[in-house]
Amino acid sequence: MTPSPHCIDLATATVRELNQRLHHLTADGDPGIWRVLNPAGGHAIAVGLNAPVTVEIDGHVGYYCAGMNKSASVRINGNAGVGVAENMMSGLVHVRGDASQAAGATAHGGLLVIDGNASARCGISMKGIDIVVKGSIGHMSAFMGQAGTLTVLGDAGEALGDSLYEARLFVRGSVASLGADCVEKEMRDEHRAVLHARLEAAGLAGEVDVSEFRRYGSARGLYHFHVDNVY
Amino acid sequence: MDHTNIPRTVPRKSATFDDYTLSEIRRAAATGLYDIRGAGTKRKLPHLDDLLFLGASISRYPLEGYREKCGTNVVLGGRFAKKPIEIRIPITIAGMSFGSLSAQAKEALGRGASAVGTSTTTGDGGMTAEERGHSSTLVYQYLPSRYGMNPDDLRKADAIEVVIGQGAKPGGGGMLLGQKISPRVAAMRTLPQGIDQRSACRHPDWTGPDDLEIKIQELREITDWEKPIYVKVGAARPYYDTALAVKAGADVVVLDGMQGGTAATQEVFIEHVGIPLLAAIRPAVQALQDLGMHRKVQLIVSGGIRNGADVAKCLALGADAVSIGTAALVALGDNDPALAADYAALGTVPGAYDDWQDGRDPAGITTQDPALATRLDPEKAGRRLANYLSVLALEAQTIARACGKSHVHNLEPEDLVSLTIEAAAMARVPLAGTDWIPGAGRY
């Protein structure tokens, strides 16, 4: 690949230099497309972005890639370590491979698409993000999820949606078990519309039948602290 | 024997089953739930009162009263941060959330602290415009719940405090009961209004000190390595927690003893988990010294600080600054005897009111009720806090000068003795009148 003016090779540049240059970009003008080479599992790559820039990362990344992203589109052509897109506010993060634990943790907005599988605690404490996982997810996913959607084309591990608030969960495959206060809910037209929109945003329109999914949400039994609700 | 005139013993209550204990058993039997309350531990503990300063004598030369210079400024965050902060007095305001406190109370804290050149701290629930606007130096807490956490406020902060725990409940999460989840609080926390809200007890995206190091790296990258990063722990294993925080890259360690307050926690947690501040400071300082980081990584301690003597004693034991929460609320107007009638209506008395979780605070501090909150005038309350903070600093200076110190940081353990064997062992200073430090030479 021929390096472009917007190409940073982490074999020679530091993560600090990369992030500093990306932070200098503003919404004014055209932030352009940036390509990152040789991430080599480095941590905190492309974090705190605050402009509608497109960042393409060729390789595997470590912890917290695209953390606290706002407005940017980040594509990872590889696997992602712990906490990819953690606390994202807006924008898009696309993992072409698998993601480790806590993908999309506490994120307030934006779209996280994972082509492969996601490990444990996917969407933990999610606060408005939309997450689409084309593979399966690990245990304790959407733990204490407050808002947003988690869509899983594969299976979900143990204790899905434990202590859930108002996040909405759609799973096409099997669910190993539901966590405390998480229940299966009726899939009505309005939910099918929401699911369809999320699949469409992830580029899956027409490829997946929404009728194959089941919906899970909070029983709201833990919303009021009472002896009958203590686990 | 004349059985009609045998003297009777007076009624004797059990020291084990005292009146409070009996009332708690009856309360538990009636409800089936543990008691939840605010504030800190109420039991008698070894504390800073058990220490005394020796002052000057033939071998020590004092400084003149209020005239000769005695510095009180503290620089925090010089280890890694491009923009360390400097506070004028060694007393900061501890983290307390909007949600647990009214917006007026948060504003008053900001006004009072800023007037004397020190910092305030956000809490669980995010940063409000009021506290950012009225706090010249604001520390933004990074908590397990991440309620209201966003990169814009992160960049607005002057420092970031990664909260692992607090002294009132090391290992515990938080609660904010439904009566305090107003529409504004609910919106800031992305939660339904009126529910009993739970704050997570552990961070969602890292586990253990190695992960924490990477998390701190991420926070530094997001903020371009400008902000000092604190790590706050409840006092439990202070030697190891301090060492691990330093290893993870902290600029500042905040150590909160079990006397530290809380907005809402189980009584059993407040009274039975964690260790007193007196027992925590020396192990933390020892960890810094063993790593060659004392005075390079700053140590802020909290939990039961009430007066300038407490401040001076903490600094003499090796801390760089102290933090106050409960005392600051009292300075604002909490538990004011002038509100005795209001407290009586709540079934309590001034000085004992601790139902901060209920949101019915007649002082307008621990409430989200608009009518109650407007009882607190942020300007007047802020002035009271500024006055109180000034007194703390003046008192600490008074003691430092008496010990011959031109800066409060020059106070040292050798300036102290202990009144009790327990305090001597915990603070590692000699029992008064002896050269005996129980356990000296061992840790």
Side-chain angles (χ1 to χ4, degrees):
Chain A
M1 184 179 303
T2 305
S4 74
H6 292 323
C7 182
I8 295 183
D9 188 345
L10 290 178
T12 52
T14 64
V15 170
R16 179 81 288 271
E17 289 165 342
L18 166 68
N19 287 327
Q20 191 73 69
R21 290 181 69 179
L22 293 173
H23 292 174
H24 283 153
L25 303 174
T26 65
D28 305 331
D30 179 12
I33 298 172
W34 290 65
R35 184 170 292 275
V36 179
L37 305 178
N38 297 306
H43 305 310
I45 290 174
V47 296
L49 304 189
N50 196 25
V53 60
T54 296
V55 179
E56 186 111 9
I57 303 168
D58 288 334
H60 307 311
V61 294
Y63 283 42
Y64 310 131
C65 182
M68 296 212 188
N69 183 51
K70 192 174 175 187
S71 303
S73 295
V74 179
R75 176 176 290 127
I76 300 156
N77 295 317
N79 301 324
V82 171
V84 64
E86 68 86 19
N87 214 86
M88 177 160 62
M89 304 302 291
S90 62
L92 167 69
V93 175
H94 184 179
V95 182
R96 301 292 292 275
D98 297 321
S100 184
Q101 298 185 57
T106 77
H108 291 70
L111 174 65
L112 170 62
V113 179
I114 299 166
D115 287 355
N117 302 307
S119 185
R121 303 179 189 87
C122 179
I124 184 171
S125 292
M126 53 196 288
K127 296 171 176 21
I129 186 177
D130 293 310
I131 303 174
V132 177
V133 181
K134 297 180 185 176
S136 297
I137 58 173
H139 65 267
M140 293 291 280
S141 288
F143 176 62
M144 294 180 95
Q146 296 171 229
T149 63
L150 171 61
T151 302
V152 184
L153 274 59
D155 304 326
E158 301 276 355
L160 176 70
D162 194 289
S163 305
L164 197 65
Y165 290 102
E166 292 297 307
R168 288 176 288 184
L169 318 179
F170 303 102
V171 182
R172 187 167 68 166
S174 65
V175 174
S177 67
L178 295 175
D181 211 32
C182 183
V183 294
E184 182 173 354
K185 294 188 167 183
E186 181 188 1
M187 188 84 154
R188 298 191 297 271
D189 285 345
E190 74 236 45
H191 307 120
R192 281 187 274 274
V194 168
L195 174 58
H196 186 271
R198 300 301 177 273
L199 291 168
E200 188 173 43
L204 293 166
E207 296 182 27
V208 183
D209 183 354
V210 296
S211 67
E212 296 175 355
F213 287 78
R214 299 166 85 165
R215 180 171 76 99
Y216 304 89
S218 175
R220 303 187 176 100
L222 291 173
Y223 276 15
H224 296 285
F225 183 66
H226 186 272
V227 67
D228 296 333
N229 298 334
V230 175
Y231 279 77
Chain B
M1 187 164 55
D2 179 1
H3 289 278
T4 59
N5 288 321
I6 297 175
R8 294 182 58 123
T9 56
V10 296
R12 181 184 180 189
K13 293 187 175 182
S14 166
T16 304
F17 289 89
D18 61 13
D19 283 346
Y20 177 79
T21 302
L22 295 173
S23 68
E24 167 54 21
I25 291 171
R26 294 185 194 104
R27 189 209 60 76
T31 66
L33 268 185
Y34 42 58
D35 189 26
I36 295 173
R37 67 170 175 87
T41 176
K42 294 187 173 185
R43 65 157 75 197
K44 178 98 175 134
L45 290 164
H47 196 35
L48 299 162
D49 286 336
D50 299 325
L51 303 181
L52 293 173
F53 282 98
L54 291 173
S57 53
I58 293 175
S59 62
R60 299 289 189 280
Y61 194 73
L63 299 185
E64 194 61 60
Y66 53 89
R67 301 193 172 196
E68 284 187 281
K69 181 175 168 54
C70 178
T72 59
N73 64 310
V74 187
V75 176
L76 299 160
R79 183 186 184 195
F80 288 121
K82 287 182 195 168
K83 295 182 178 176
I85 60 178
E86 181 167 5
I87 52 178
R88 290 208 304 266
I89 61 171
I91 308 139
T92 68
I93 303 300
M96 290 175 276
S97 76
F98 167 67
S100 66
L101 300 189
S102 64
Q104 287 87 340
K106 291 296 286 181
E107 178 182 334
L109 291 173
R111 286 177 179 273
S114 299
V116 295
T118 191
S119 61
T120 63
T121 311
T122 66
D124 209 354
M127 181 190 294
T128 66
E130 290 96 327
E131 69 181 328
R132 177 61 282 188
H134 290 285
S135 299
S136 57
T137 304
L138 180 60
V139 181
Y140 188 30
Q141 285 195 327
Y142 189 77
L143 291 126
S145 75
R146 313 279 167 87
Y147 289 136
M149 172 52 57
N150 69 79
D152 296 328
D153 287 342
L154 205 64
R155 286 185 274 264
K156 283 181 204 162
D158 298 295
I160 299 162
E161 182 172 289
V162 179
V163 179
I164 315 295
Q166 68 182 88
K169 47 180 174 179
M175 304 190 73
L176 195 64
L177 298 184
Q179 51 269 43
K180 296 176 81 170
I181 307 284
S182 68
R184 185 182 180 197
V185 172
M188 283 183 68
R189 301 183 185 215
T190 324
L191 286 168
Q193 188 182 339
I195 69 164
D196 294 336
Q197 168 250 289
R198 172 78 192 163
S199 293
C201 65
R202 54 181 186 261
H203 282 264
D205 57 354
W206 64 267
T207 308
D210 294 334
D211 281 6
L212 175 59
E213 184 171 355
I214 304 170
K215 173 53 71 178
I216 288 175
Q217 179 194 351
E218 183 206 10
L219 294 172
R220 291 201 191 278
E221 283 294 327
I222 290 171
T223 55
D224 292 327
W225 290 72
E226 291 181 347
K227 322 281 185 192
I229 294 187
Y230 303 6
V231 171
K232 177 176 180 176
V233 294
R237 301 171 184 86
Y239 181 86
Y240 296 106
D241 284 340
T242 301
L244 290 169
V246 171
K247 180 260 182 193
D251 291 303
V252 176
V253 176
V254 181
L255 178 66
D256 190 22
M258 72 177 288
Q259 297 97 327
T262 172
T265 298
Q266 299 93 331
E267 159 90 3
V268 71
F269 215 141
I270 296 171
E271 297 289 358
H272 297 281
V273 184
I275 65 173
L277 177 63
L278 185 68
I281 299 175
R282 290 305 295 276
V285 172
Q286 185 71 53
L288 294 172
Q289 290 170 334
D290 288 351
L291 294 167
M293 298 304 281
H294 192 217
R295 306 298 188 202
K296 295 174 184 168
V297 169
Q298 286 74 45
L299 177 67
I300 301 176
V301 300
S302 55
I305 306 295
R306 303 150 300 174
N307 51 49
D310 288 347
V311 176
K313 290 169 185 175
C314 290
L315 300 186
L317 293 174
D320 294 275
V322 304
S323 200
I324 61 169
T326 302
L329 298 189
V330 173
L332 296 188
D334 174 62
N335 271 293
D336 188 340
L339 298 169
D342 295 286
Y343 289 122
L346 295 172
T348 188
V349 295
Y353 178 67
D354 58 14
D355 285 327
W356 298 351
Q357 79 287 352
D358 270 351
R360 295 184 291 167
D361 183 359
I365 295 170
T366 59
T367 183
Q368 295 301 316
D369 182 321
L372 291 174
T374 53
R375 289 183 174 193
L376 188 75
D377 182 329
E379 286 191 42
K380 290 180 180 173
R383 271 200 294 279
R384 287 195 293 272
L385 176 61
N387 287 338
Y388 172 61
L389 288 167
S390 294
V391 170
L392 293 186
L394 288 168
E395 289 179 341
Q397 282 177 305
T398 297
I399 287 172
R401 287 192 183 97
C403 295
K405 315 296 187 186
S406 60
H407 195 289
V408 289
H409 282 167
N410 295 339
L411 288 163
E412 54 196 329
E414 287 71 19
D415 293 315
L416 291 168
V417 292
S418 171
L419 286 167
T420 69
I421 295 171
E422 289 87 351
M426 293 178 186
R428 304 182 194 176
V429 299
L431 187 67
T434 78
D435 60 359
W436 182 38
I437 302 176
R442 298 179 55 205
Y443 173 66

